[in-house]
Amino acid sequence: ASMLESLQTLALGAQVGSQLTAVTDHVELGTQKVQGRVELANANSEVTLVLTAADGTVKKVPLGKHAPGEASFELDPAKLGLPAGRYSIAVETSSKETPEVQVTGELSSVKLSPTLGVVLTMSHIGEVPASAITQFNGRAPGQAS
């Protein structure tokens, strides 16, 4: 098991600088726009992102009505009037389903934790377990490999 974790760490380490998508319950906002998505099971569901700041302030971001499948979103902190900081993020739907939120960010580091296993550090999220990764998106255009 230890050898497999080491191999996974090495393989993921080669992905540093790549864009990944991961399941998360929080997002770290700064000045950059943040891309994400939710996977919906129910048809014609009204979807709203709910961002809660550390001080308890809630900002709801309506995403409109969506068919089953992927509903992508973009968070623009400046346009939404959101100061930099860490926010919890959740989804409300008119169908009452509670899909997981997935956020895309750049992988900046990979480490092996004795208690958590393989831990990745991503922009817009911070540290996440390797099991939270849902997609490897490659490197951003114009980025060297």
Side-chain angles (χ1 to χ4, degrees):
S2 177
M3 183 178 271
L4 286 175
E5 275 191 334
S6 294
L7 287 172
Q8 184 182 29
T9 303
L10 287 172
L12 287 169
Q15 296 298 316
V16 168
S18 293
Q19 297 291 312
L20 305 179
T21 302
V23 171
T24 185
D25 62 357
H26 65 275
V27 62
E28 294 177 3
L29 298 180
T31 57
Q32 296 181 333
K33 295 176 183 176
V34 176
Q35 307 293 321
R37 67 180 184 221
V38 296
E39 295 285 335
L40 300 169
N42 296 310
N44 298 318
S45 187
E46 286 286 339
V47 180
T48 302
L49 286 179
V50 181
L51 299 164
T52 307
D55 67 1
T57 303
V58 175
K59 174 72 172 186
K60 292 191 176 193
V61 181
L63 301 181
K65 193 173 274 197
H66 287 274
E70 183 179 301
S72 297
F73 64 84
E74 177 180 87
L75 295 175
D76 183 343
K79 187 176 176 181
L80 294 170
L82 295 169
R86 183 178 170 119
Y87 294 78
S88 67
I89 187 169
V91 179
E92 290 179 350
T93 64
S94 58
S95 63
K96 304 299 181 207
E97 70 179 294
T98 55
E100 296 177 315
V101 177
Q102 300 175 47
V103 170
T104 299
E106 183 176 314
L107 178 62
S108 60
S109 71
V110 179
K111 70 179 179 180
L112 187 55
S113 164
T115 55
L116 302 174
V118 179
V119 178
L120 312 176
T121 303
M122 294 174 55
S123 63
H124 310 305
I125 300 176
E127 290 189 345
V128 296
S131 60
I133 302 304
T134 59
Q135 186 171 339
F136 289 85
N137 304 313
R139 298 192 188 277
Q143 192 177 12
S145 33

